[in-house]
């Protein structure tokens, strides 16, 4: 059937202009704010429970029968990360089948159970078990919260919405360290710190009834009316035509998911993730951001804040732990404010080098500070306060760069993944993140003794530089692109140059619409019955249509075929 509109054509990629008009209708509403902050409680829980260990462990003392050795501290810390790997992988895998909302509920239950087990621990084994249970909730929240928010948020505000979850992580860490510092002289302080972790999870459970399922999941289940109701609440100012356009866009993308599942086995789908180049490129990109974000070594400042700042000679090591937490939170907030203007890639390339400067500063300061003790940190030694101040200054510089970049950029992973692999792709990248985190967590204290502090931070410096170089070539900008347009960047390469072209064409189309006065009613578009639904809003050198054709993996032309 003929289309009822004639899109303007540009050389190369053409953006559907009715979609641009729909995006201009996107506005933040009180209901959307409620949804985002309710979901972001999962990020706060993630932050609190990863930050609390750094201040709680030094308080444990001999309450569990003996003073914990460095190895026992590393195992206890790593237990949460190990649980996170399981939680992220399992809940991410079942996110489409069970729904985002149910996976959030499961994460909350593990958060609550883990906090109770830790707070009531009377042996090291029980504490480690509690940390593992808690970790399952952490891993689930790390995958599901940004995925859920990404699928609810308007394109123009998506960066700030996902960034809210990213902000809540270091904010939770800061709260944990701050409470820990205030409880220094309180009896059973470490039990109180662990027990307080149940409060945010109980709040999220209390508002669970009012949280809707993701519209994409509702459409996937065939519940279009419920999906339309959710969209109507999120966009109360949008016309019914605009809402229908949004729903049709979602349907076109859902078609790719259901076709893939209908026509391939589990083994074939797993193979396809790595043999189909666009999938492989997108997963590699988000895994790169996650892994190199961990290999900066920032989390060591949280996990071992009390130990590290105690070795530096601070009288209240927990207060020292506030330095990286507050710095990271402040600069993450700045990054979140700037992300929709400067962009994801823009932030990493402009502010990433700050981490390099901070790490070089730390390396040099540690080298001279530890000279009197043979290059290693010795507990109880009275180090030069001037050199201790220089080390802390280097940590602040490093944290300002980390907070502006990796601290929140890693949670934009969902927008780089096609809908049909979004849940499993998020699970893979988050699992990769926690695996990298596990390596860092179990090795840091040992590295301080074997590599010396300057050698340890020299190692992290090398990883930061390697990460920036690699991401320069494979990390494209998604600013101003819809969540499903972003994946098309990986069709023919890593998408860095293609992103610039698509955003320029989109800006030109928007400008032309403003000059022409625009028409808020989306043009009716019909899809030929023989064509297949696409997961992208973009066609190359073809008339622009809303429901286009599926990108078929090379050598697998039947994978997305519709049933007769």
């Amino acid at each position: 059937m003929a289309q009822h509109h004639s899109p303007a054509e540009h050389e190369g990629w053409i953006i559907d202009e009715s979609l641009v008009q729909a995006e201009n209708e996107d506005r933040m509403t009180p209901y959307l704010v409620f949804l985002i902050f309710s979901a972001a409680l999962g990020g706060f829980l993630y932050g609190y429970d990863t930050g609390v260990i750094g201040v709680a462990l030094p308080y444990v003392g001999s309450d569990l029968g003996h003073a914990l050795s460095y190895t026992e501290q590393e195992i206890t810390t790593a237990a949460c990360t190990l649980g996170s790997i399981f939680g992220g992988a399992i809940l991410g895998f079942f996110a489409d089948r069970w729904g985002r909302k149910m996976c959030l509920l499961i994460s909350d239950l593990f958060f609550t159970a883990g906090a109770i087990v830790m707070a009531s621990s009377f042996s090291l084994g029980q504490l480690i078990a509690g940390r593992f249970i808690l970790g399952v909730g952490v891993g689930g929240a790390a995958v599901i919260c940004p995925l859920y928010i990404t699928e609810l948020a308007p394109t123009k505000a998506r960066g700030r919405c996902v960034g809210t979850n990213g902000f809540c992580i270091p904010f939770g860490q800061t709260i944990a360290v701050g409470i820990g510092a205030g409880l220094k002289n309180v009896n059973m302080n470490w039990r109180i710190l662990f027990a307080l972790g149940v409060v945010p999870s109980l709040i999220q459970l209390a508002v669970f009834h009012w949280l809707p399922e993701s519209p994409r999941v509702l459409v996937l289940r065939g519940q279009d009316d419920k999906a339309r109701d959710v969209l109507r609440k999120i966009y109360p100012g949008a016309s019914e035509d605009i809402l229908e356009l949004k729903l049709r866009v979602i349907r076109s993308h859902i078609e790719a998911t259901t076709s893939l599942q209908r026509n391939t086995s589990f083994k074939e789908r797993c193979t396809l993730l790595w043999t189909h180049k666009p999938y492989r490129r997108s997963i590699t990109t988000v895994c790169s951001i996650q892994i190199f974000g961990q290999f900066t070594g920032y989390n060591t400042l949280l996990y071992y804040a009390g130990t590290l700042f105690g070795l530096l000679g601070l009288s209240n090591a927990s207060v020292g732990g506030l330095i990286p937490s507050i710095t990271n939170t402040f600069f993450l907030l700045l990054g979140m404010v700037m992300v929709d203007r400067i962009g994801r890639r823009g932030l990493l390339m402009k502010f990433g080098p700050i981490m390099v400067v901070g790490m070089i500063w730390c390396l040099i300061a540690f080298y001279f500070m530890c000279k009197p003790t043979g290059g290693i940190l010795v507990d109880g030694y009275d180090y030069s306060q001037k050199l201790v101040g220089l080390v802390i200054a280097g940590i602040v510089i490093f944290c300002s760069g980390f907070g502006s970049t990796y601290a929140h950029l890693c949670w934009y992973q969902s927008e780089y993944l096609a809908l049909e692999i979004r849940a499993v792709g998020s699970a893979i990248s988050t699992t990769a993140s926690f695996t990298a985190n596990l390596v860092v967590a179990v090795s840091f204290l040992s590295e301080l003794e074997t590599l010396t502090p300057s050698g340890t931070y020299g190692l992290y410096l090398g990883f930061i530089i390697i990460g920036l170089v690699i991401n320069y070539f494979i990390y494209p900008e998604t600013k101003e692109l819809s969540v499903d347009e972003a994946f098309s960047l990986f069709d023919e390469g890593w998408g860095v140059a293609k992103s610039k072209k698509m955003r320029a064409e989109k800006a030109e189309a928007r400008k032309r619409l403003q000059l022409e006065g625009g028409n808020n009613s989306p043009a009716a578009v019909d899809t030929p019955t023989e064509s297949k639904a696409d997961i992208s809003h973009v066609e190359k050198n073809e008339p622009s249509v809303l429901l286009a054709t599926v990108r078929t993996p090379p050598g697998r032309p039947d994978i997305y075929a519709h049933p007769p």
Side-chain angles (χ1 to χ4, degrees):
M1 297 178 68
Q3 295 175 200
H4 300 286
H5 72 296
S6 176
E9 298 187 17
H10 305 278
E11 182 182 355
W13 291 85
I14 303 171
I15 308 297
D16 180 71
E17 295 186 14
S18 63
L19 178 63
V20 175
Q21 285 182 292
E23 290 175 1
N24 286 340
E25 291 286 328
D26 291 341
R27 294 291 185 271
M28 293 292 292
T29 65
Y31 181 71
L32 181 60
V33 171
F34 164 74
L35 295 184
I36 300 304
F37 277 97
S38 297
L41 279 173
F44 180 88
L45 276 163
Y46 175 8
Y48 183 88
D49 289 316
T50 53
V52 72
I53 192 68
V55 292
L57 275 184
Y59 291 159
V60 172
S62 58
D63 287 358
L64 299 180
H66 64 279
L68 300 182
S69 67
Y70 278 178
T71 300
E72 289 172 332
Q73 289 184 50
E74 288 176 335
I75 293 173
T76 304
T77 301
C80 180
T81 305
L82 192 60
S84 300
I85 294 174
F86 283 94
I90 294 172
L91 292 180
F93 182 81
F94 287 104
D96 285 336
R97 181 179 301 180
W98 296 344
R100 314 323 188 210
K101 184 177 177 181
M102 181 56 63
C103 288
L104 280 177
L105 173 63
I106 294 172
S107 295
D108 278 332
L109 294 177
F110 274 95
F111 274 125
T112 304
I116 293 173
V117 171
M118 289 190 301
S120 60
S121 294
F122 284 95
S123 69
L124 178 61
Q126 185 180 350
L127 181 61
I128 292 173
R131 288 284 294 171
F132 181 86
I133 294 169
L134 184 81
V136 176
V138 169
V143 175
I144 302 302
C145 289
L147 180 63
Y148 181 67
I149 294 172
T150 296
E151 294 179 344
L152 288 176
T155 299
K156 289 182 67 176
R158 191 176 67 241
R160 294 190 297 275
C161 291
V162 177
T164 299
N165 181 71
F167 169 77
C168 283
I169 295 173
F171 181 65
Q173 293 165 347
T174 303
I175 294 298
V177 176
I179 294 176
L183 293 176
K184 180 183 178 182
N185 298 315
V186 176
N187 188 36
M188 309 301 285
N189 44 16
W190 63 274
R191 296 187 187 277
I192 296 173
L193 284 168
F194 287 139
L196 287 175
V198 305
V199 176
S201 61
L202 291 178
I203 293 175
Q204 193 169 55
L205 286 170
V207 302
F208 185 79
H209 173 73
W210 290 279
L211 295 179
E213 185 53 87
S214 162
R216 284 175 170 80
V217 173
L218 292 173
V219 173
L220 185 64
R221 295 173 175 172
Q223 300 174 333
D224 287 19
D225 289 341
K226 291 185 177 180
R228 188 180 290 105
D229 289 341
V230 173
L231 292 173
R232 188 176 290 113
K233 290 180 180 178
I234 296 174
Y235 311 114
S239 67
E240 288 301 313
D241 287 337
I242 292 295
L243 293 176
E244 185 60 31
L245 172 61
K246 290 179 179 292
L247 200 58
R248 294 187 70 183
V249 170
I250 292 173
R251 287 195 198 105
S252 71
H253 292 264
I254 290 295
E255 186 60 40
T257 308
T258 56
S259 296
L260 183 63
Q261 293 176 345
R262 281 197 307 266
N263 295 284
T264 60
S265 65
F266 174 76
K267 181 179 179 181
E268 287 175 319
R269 289 197 294 275
C270 291
T271 302
L272 196 61
L273 292 175
W274 307 109
T275 57
H276 183 39
K277 291 181 179 179
Y279 292 166
R280 186 173 69 233
R281 293 182 190 117
S282 62
I283 292 174
T284 300
T285 294
V286 295
C287 284
S288 174
I289 293 296
Q290 288 278 17
I291 291 171
F292 284 110
Q294 294 297 334
F295 281 168
T296 61
Y298 171 77
N299 280 340
T300 63
L301 299 175
L302 295 174
Y303 297 155
Y304 304 109
T307 302
L308 178 61
F309 286 99
L311 289 172
L312 287 175
L314 299 186
S315 57
N316 189 339
S318 297
V319 173
L322 283 171
I323 296 171
S325 297
I326 292 177
T327 304
N328 181 47
T329 303
F330 176 75
F331 282 95
L332 186 146
L333 182 60
L334 289 182
M336 189 176 73
V337 170
M338 297 185 292
V339 70
D340 286 320
R341 294 198 302 271
I342 299 179
R344 290 76 166 144
R345 175 184 171 85
L347 282 175
L348 184 60
M349 295 301 112
K350 288 181 173 64
F351 293 91
I354 296 176
M355 289 186 288
V356 176
V357 174
M359 201 57 75
I360 292 175
W361 188 307
C362 284
L363 187 158
I364 296 173
F366 267 121
Y367 175 79
F368 286 103
M369 188 187 79
C370 295
K371 257 190 171 184
T373 52
I376 62 174
L377 284 170
V378 176
D379 192 12
Y381 185 84
D382 187 17
Y383 289 103
S384 164
Q385 292 303 300
K386 179 180 179 181
L387 291 175
V388 169
L390 288 175
V391 168
I392 293 176
I395 290 174
V396 169
I397 294 171
F398 162 75
C399 290
S400 66
F402 180 82
S404 304
T405 55
Y406 285 122
H408 63 110
L409 293 182
C410 59
W411 303 118
Y412 296 109
Q413 59 189 13
S414 296
E415 65 188 31
Y416 287 88
L417 301 166
L419 176 62
E420 68 271 22
I421 65 165
R422 190 166 296 153
V424 67
S426 295
I428 290 171
S429 63
T430 305
T431 301
S433 172
F434 284 124
T435 303
N437 187 14
L438 179 63
V439 173
V440 171
V442 300
S443 62
F444 177 68
L445 293 179
S446 300
E447 287 169 353
L448 287 179
E449 291 185 324
T450 56
L451 298 180
T452 73
S454 57
T456 300
Y457 284 96
L459 179 65
Y460 294 143
L461 171 63
F463 282 126
I464 292 171
I465 294 173
I466 292 171
L468 289 175
V469 171
I470 290 176
N471 289 319
Y472 176 82
F473 293 102
I474 71 171
Y475 187 50
E477 184 59 76
T478 59
K479 179 181 65 172
E480 298 173 353
L481 299 180
S482 72
V483 68
D484 295 309
E485 284 173 336
F487 176 73
S488 69
L489 296 173
F490 298 101
D491 277 349
E492 298 172 353
W494 296 101
V496 174
K498 181 178 174 182
S499 170
K500 295 179 182 178
K501 189 171 185 179
M502 287 181 68
R503 288 182 288 115
E505 290 177 353
K506 199 164 185 177
E508 182 182 341
R510 186 180 295 110
K511 185 182 298 182
R512 187 172 57 257
L513 281 173
Q514 291 174 346
L515 292 175
E516 293 173 356
N519 185 347
N520 287 334
S521 297
V525 180
D526 294 303
T527 308
T529 56
E530 68 271 17
S531 70
K532 303 172 183 119
D534 194 356
I535 52 178
S536 136
H537 302 309
V538 187
E539 285 290 343
K540 188 174 184 180
N541 297 326
E542 297 284 353
S544 175
V545 294
L546 179 59
L547 306 181
T549 58
V550 130
R551 61 172 67 77
T552 303
R556 297 300 302 275
D558 60 331
I559 283 180
Y560 298 100
H562 289 212

